[in-house]
Every structure is written in structure tokens, then in C-alpha cells.
Amino acid sequence: NNPNMNLYGGGPGEYTITFKVRFVDADYTGRLKPTLTSSNNREVTLGAIDGYQFVTANGSEWTTFTGKYLLTEATHKKLVDDNFSTFKLRIDASEGGNAYAVNGKDANGNYASYYLDDMTIVKTPEITGIEVLSKPNKTEYEFGEELNTTGLSLKVFLDNGSEQTITEGFEVSGYDASTEGPQTVTVSYEGFETAFEVTVKEKAPEPVGIQVTAPDKTTYESGDAFDATETSAYNSETKL
């Protein structure tokens, strides 16, 4: 079958088209080009996201194929304005470059009829927002320590009402290991942003010099053990 498909309701976006094809008494290789036809037989072909897929099928078996195609804003407007509604699967001949909406040519240049069945067109859900589902395992850092996002997961909201959970594929920004105190880290995914909080501890004081206080005992007999009682060293802030 070659059903009529109305894409107006779905609107612009990415569509996955799945179908079965069987050629009549012919083996065939060609490119799949989903095409929409208006009431006055004008045609618009959907752009393939990963390039138009080549298919090889024979005349005795049903073969299933799946491709992803993009319906742009401009194309969608044309569909609505010119009353495009009939969906056809165009198959380009592998030789000669001719395209046929109902028939294709086999490798010998002869027309090869084919049948389509079980065709489905499903729009890929679009993201409407994101939020932090679980913060990273580590949210408190020593001064100068690198950010660790292990454990971070996001909830992704889709326009069909469903939700997804992701643990990779996002980007983080806004963390500065050399800035003490609380910080807001921004998480970006597919044009959307959310955030979580971390804290960088105060920087530990660093020695700037030493001052030695002599021990109580400074005179020893031969064989006496050293006694460091009351010996201490200081830096500018902290006793060592």
C-alpha cells in the first residue's frame, strides 16, 4: 500500500519513516526519497538527515527499511499553503538517475513495480526543557580541585508529554577551582540550561618563611639524646 499521510499536525521537525517493500519479479537498488504531493500534483521531497538511504530488495521477499528525514519550517509552510497532503515514497533508479513515485527501474533499465506495506511515520519528540534529576556525587571541593560530574543526571521533558533521563551528552560551565565559596554550575543540553550548586573550600595557608625557637636544652654531654622540648617553627600565620 502507499497511504496518504498528513504531516500538518506534526509540524516541522525530524520524522522516522519505516516501511516494507517488495519488488515484482526484479532485484533492485535505489535511493529512498519521501515525497509529498499537492492536489495539483506539485511535489516536495523531504531532506534526509543522514543522506538518502540506498535500498536493495528482491522480487520474492519483503524487506524493511527505516530512515530519518527533516521537515523544515519553510517546507511545512509550503505544505500548508499549497494543500500538500498525499505521501508517496519516491525511489530513484540506481542507473540513469530517473525517479518514479510508483515504479522504479531495475539494473537493466526496465520498469520494476513494487509494493509498500506497514508504513509508519513518527515524529521525533522535541525537547521542551531540562532539570537536574540527581546532583553529582561530589559537591564540595578543595581549593584548586577539578570539577567531577560523576553521578550527575538530567531529566529531559519532551513535547509529547514523555520524559527521558540522561547521564551524558551535556556540557557544564561556570565552575572556577580558584574561587572560594559557593558557585553555580550551569548544565547545557540541546539549547536548554539548568544548574546545580557546589562549594570550594578556603585555600589552605602557605608558608612564607620560618622562625626557630631554640629548645630548653642546648648543651649536651657526649652520648646524650637530643631533646627538642619547646622547639617550634612558625610561618606568618600558623604554628608548625
Side-chain angles (χ1 to χ4, degrees), residues 32-49:
L32 304 179
K33 289 189 174 182
T35 302
L36 292 120
T37 306
S38 69
S39 55
N40 59 359
N41 292 322
R42 295 172 59 190
E43 293 186 345
V44 170
T45 300
L46 301 183
I49 293 176

Side-chain angles (χ1 to χ4, degrees), residues 26-182:
D27 296 338
Y28 185 84
T29 298
R31 291 177 295 179
L32 304 179
K33 289 189 174 182
T35 302
L36 292 120
T37 306
S38 69
S39 55
N40 59 359
N41 292 322
R42 295 172 59 190
E43 293 186 345
V44 170
T45 300
L46 301 183
I49 293 176
D50 298 317
Y52 289 109
Q53 182 182 7
F54 273 83
V55 301
T56 299
N58 58 51
S60 60
E61 298 177 353
W62 287 99
T63 306
T64 300
F65 296 98
T66 298
K68 291 186 176 182
Y69 302 91
L70 183 65
L71 178 60
T72 64
E73 293 275 357
T75 301
H76 181 259
K77 184 176 186 303
K78 183 180 295 185
L79 299 182
V80 174
D81 292 346
D82 294 346
N83 193 29
F84 282 77
S85 60
T86 302
F87 180 89
K88 296 180 180 180
L89 184 71
R90 177 182 292 280
I91 299 183
D92 276 3
S94 58
E95 295 186 11
N98 295 317
Y100 300 88
V102 179
N103 296 299
K105 283 185 177 181
D106 61 20
N108 297 319
N110 300 314
Y111 286 101
S113 297
Y114 60 86
Y115 299 103
L116 298 178
D117 201 0
D118 293 343
M119 181 181 291
T120 60
I121 300 180
V122 179
K123 184 181 181 185
T124 302
E126 296 182 2
I127 298 174
T128 59
I130 63 174
E131 68 177 29
V132 173
L133 181 61
S134 61
K135 295 181 180 180
N137 300 335
K138 185 178 181 66
T139 57
E140 190 171 83
Y141 294 86
E142 300 295 335
F143 187 90
E145 188 177 3
E146 293 185 359
L147 182 70
N148 185 340
T149 59
T150 300
L152 175 62
S153 65
L154 302 182
K155 180 182 292 186
V156 180
F157 300 95
L158 304 175
D159 62 357
N160 62 0
S162 65
E163 300 173 357
Q164 295 178 346
T165 298
I166 62 171
T167 57
E168 58 185 6
F170 44 74
E171 296 181 354
V172 295
S173 60
Y175 175 74
D176 185 354
S178 62
T179 300
E180 300 172 351

